[in-house]
Amino acid sequence: MIDFTLSAQQNAIREMAISFSTNVLTSAASIYEAHPTQKERFRALRPFYRQAVEGGMIKGMIPTTLGGIGGTVLDSAIMVEQMYKVDRSLSLTIFATGLGLSPLLLSGNWELQEEFLKPFLSGEGEPLASLVHSEPTGTANWLEKGSSGLQTTARKEGEKWIMWATNCAGWEDHGADLQCLVCRYSQDGKPQNPAQDPKNGIMILLITPDIVLQNKPEAYQVLSHGETAGHRSNSGPHVRFTEFHVPDHNLLAEPGKGAELIIQSFTASAALVGAMSVGIMAAAFEAALEFAKRDGRGGEEPIIHRQSVADLLMDVKMRTDAARFLTWKASHALDTGKGGELALEAKIFCSDSAVKSVLDVMSAVGMSSYSEETVFPRLLNDVICLPLFDGGNIGIRRRQLEKIFMTKDYDPWGATYKS
């Protein structure tokens, strides 16, 4: 039987997210936007992040089997939508920590999980986790045979790994509390052998601020803090690793086993980007509907009575509902181990639809929507990122879906009816 009615527990999760959004997120932007740089805005955001930690939101992304209070991907999707409606920057920082923890959570390495999850289970402080995988030259084709491979490399010397990265995305100062850093094993530092499968060299190292401090100052350098058009309080500076030493004990995935963990991590996150997209569409629709019901733009009646405006709003409402249900279906498929095809569809369809929906509601409202005094410019600057990040729709997500279509035994509607 098909039923999208939320259970009592799921409704409780939704209400909790609404309460946190109302009591915490609504005031965040006015605080961090007062600062002139991305770095300063991120620091201004951290007290709000602390409230999320104290409220159990970080612990809620860790499974109960590992000491957390986490539920399902569907539970997370319900929470993400409600929070993303109100504030994207703080919400993304919270859920980016969940992505940062994903390789560790999926690894099955109980020893490392027990050691490195402690700060995220405490419910105290401002513990941040980061999945460090981006490079300035791009990583859309990082597993393509014949390419030069990841530029972030590591070689083995005794009981340590020596890392080198000319410029990759990281965190400020001494890094996040935990960085799951993806790199390519290369004992000689040369480009990967074009005849080999790139997956064979992918590994993951765990880096903490203590590890950074144990290295020479020049081994870890923050090169710059980029300024972004949207998500204006998120941190993602460019970092250089030079002869950076990491103990062998911190090897999460040995060469050949790292790629699969990263693929799994980004499969789950694809569904959550769907939820982020729904949150933005819902916020845009609600703001435009309120405007259309009260403002006549100089006419006798509010513009909701104009068919052209009503039609635009109808399209956005239908897209939002369709995107929400696809996200829920994709999340359920992940929770039940039915594969990631629908998660890819959710990431692509929902994020592309969100961009169009924000533009449509701005067209309905008219020139007033371009004013910084309205919510629409912020929604537009934030939504533009969704098709681009977490695996760009064109360079990565559509190509992943294409590969699924190309498999010999592909069942076109298997994910629809069997998940």
Side-chain angles (χ1 to χ4, degrees):
M1 182 177 181
I2 299 173
D3 187 359
F4 286 101
T5 303
L6 299 182
S7 67
Q9 180 181 352
Q10 290 163 341
N11 270 315
I13 291 171
R14 182 172 180 269
E15 291 300 324
M16 180 192 72
I18 292 173
S19 176
F20 181 80
S21 300
T22 302
N23 297 323
V24 179
L25 296 185
T26 51
S27 60
S30 63
I31 301 298
Y32 66 69
E33 284 288 355
H35 296 270
T37 68
Q38 195 103 2
K39 181 178 180 180
E40 291 173 284
R41 289 191 291 271
F42 175 68
R43 290 179 173 176
L45 173 146
R46 295 189 66 158
F48 297 99
Y49 182 84
R50 177 186 289 267
Q51 294 184 59
V53 174
E54 294 171 348
M57 289 197 169
I58 304 305
K59 195 173 182 179
M61 291 185 280
I62 301 173
T64 55
T65 53
L66 297 177
I69 56 175
T72 64
V73 178
L74 179 53
D75 291 341
S76 296
I78 293 168
M79 186 183 304
V80 168
E81 176 189 336
Q82 297 305 320
M83 292 172 62
Y84 235 70
K85 281 179 64 176
V86 179
D87 186 281
R88 274 69 60 191
S89 288
L90 179 53
S91 298
L92 184 60
T93 300
I94 294 169
F95 295 111
T97 286
L99 176 61
L101 292 175
S102 291
L104 178 61
L105 299 176
L106 294 167
S107 69
N109 190 319
W110 292 94
E111 180 183 358
L112 293 180
Q113 288 169 339
E114 183 178 13
E115 177 180 352
F116 289 102
L117 286 176
K118 287 180 180 178
F120 302 95
L121 292 169
S122 69
E124 300 175 348
E126 302 165 8
L128 295 160
S130 176
L131 175 49
V132 184
H133 180 48
S134 299
E135 295 183 344
T137 56
T139 53
N141 304 305
W142 68 300
L143 295 178
E144 182 175 86
K145 191 173 182 179
S147 68
S148 58
L150 289 180
Q151 302 304 297
T152 305
T153 61
R155 68 179 189 273
K156 185 73 180 293
E157 289 189 6
E159 296 301 312
K160 290 185 177 181
W161 292 91
I162 314 299
M163 268 187 52
W164 182 281
T166 55
N167 196 351
C168 65
W171 290 76
E172 63 175 348
D173 300 329
H174 300 122
D177 296 83
L178 180 66
Q179 298 182 68
C180 290
L181 192 141
V182 186
C183 52
R184 175 173 58 87
Y185 171 65
S186 177
Q187 198 63 27
D188 57 11
K190 294 181 179 179
Q192 66 187 8
N193 187 333
Q196 294 181 346
D197 184 347
K199 288 185 179 180
N200 294 337
I202 302 301
M203 53 185 286
I204 303 174
L205 292 167
L206 301 178
I207 300 175
T208 63
D210 287 342
I211 298 297
V212 175
L213 291 172
Q214 290 168 16
N215 276 267
K216 296 178 180 179
E218 61 270 21
Y220 181 92
Q221 294 179 300
V222 177
L223 302 178
S224 64
H225 292 268
E227 297 288 329
T228 57
H231 296 86
R232 287 169 47 80
S233 72
N234 294 113
S235 177
H238 288 164
V239 176
R240 174 184 291 148
F241 293 90
T242 306
E243 294 293 302
F244 187 88
H245 291 218
V246 182
D248 188 49
H249 171 75
N250 288 39
L251 179 65
L252 178 66
E254 64 186 41
K257 296 186 177 180
E260 190 56 38
L261 283 180
I262 300 307
I263 292 170
Q264 291 178 32
S265 297
F266 278 113
T267 299
S269 68
L272 296 186
V273 175
M276 295 174 187
S277 306
V278 175
I280 290 182
M281 282 191 278
F285 174 77
E286 291 173 16
L289 180 65
E290 187 276 332
F291 181 91
K293 284 185 172 182
R294 65 171 169 79
D295 197 298
R297 298 284 80 189
E300 182 180 1
E301 296 181 313
I303 60 172
I304 190 65
H305 294 277
R306 309 290 179 178
Q307 287 187 352
S308 57
V309 171
D311 286 350
L312 285 170
L313 294 180
M314 289 174 198
D315 287 343
V316 174
K317 178 59 164 59
M318 290 185 287
R319 280 190 219 114
T320 304
D321 280 333
R324 179 181 294 114
F325 295 147
L326 175 57
T327 296
W328 288 357
K329 174 71 171 176
S331 299
H332 176 73
L334 292 173
D335 288 330
T336 54
K338 301 295 176 60
E341 180 181 348
L342 291 178
L344 295 174
E345 292 182 15
K347 203 282 182 181
I348 297 165
F349 174 79
C350 298
S351 59
D352 284 349
S353 295
V355 174
K356 180 170 177 52
S357 294
V358 173
L359 291 173
D360 279 353
V361 299
M362 292 179 73
S363 296
V365 171
M367 192 61 199
S368 293
S369 68
Y370 198 56
S371 169
E372 286 286 355
E373 295 179 0
T374 72
V375 70
F376 301 108
R378 293 193 297 277
L379 290 173
L380 182 61
N381 283 337
D382 289 338
V383 77
I384 288 296
C385 182
L386 299 188
L388 307 177
F389 83 155
D390 196 70
N393 288 357
I394 299 299
I396 297 180
R397 297 309 192 173
R398 287 181 180 272
R399 305 291 70 79
Q400 291 173 328
L401 196 55
E402 180 183 20
K403 288 182 179 179
I404 293 175
F405 289 178
M406 291 169 63
T407 56
K408 186 176 181 180
D409 58 350
Y410 174 66
D411 179 354
W413 308 115
T416 305
Y417 295 107
K418 299 177 183 178
S419 60

